[in-house]
Amino acid sequence: MFFDIASLQKYVANPDCGRQMGIEGQHWYLVNVVEKSINRYSQYFEEKAAVFDKIAR
């Protein structure tokens, strides 16, 4: 895990800013990693179901 002393000192000096950064980082992760992965798998299942004339649920 990577962090630097300057970032840690910045958080200690302004914890609200650090919390907001954490919230924004979590949102980014959910949108760019989790949702994209789920959408990719969902699309894959729908395509495979269509091959067999089925509806993916």
Side-chain angles (χ1 to χ4, degrees):
M1 185 171 191
F2 174 77
F3 73 93
D4 59 70
I5 294 297
S7 295
L8 187 56
Q9 289 171 336
K10 189 175 177 181
Y11 172 75
V12 169
N14 190 351
D16 290 335
C17 181
R19 283 188 202 96
Q20 185 61 35
M21 187 184 305
I23 291 168
E24 291 169 5
Q26 182 181 29
H27 179 261
W28 178 91
Y29 176 79
L30 289 173
V31 169
N32 291 290
V33 177
V34 175
E35 287 182 13
K36 283 185 179 182
S37 296
I38 290 172
N39 289 337
R40 184 175 292 146
Y41 278 109
S42 177
Q43 182 180 1
Y44 172 80
F45 292 134
E46 288 174 5
E47 290 171 1
K48 291 300 176 185
V51 169
F52 298 104
D53 293 326
K54 302 288 183 178
I55 297 173
R57 297 186 225 175

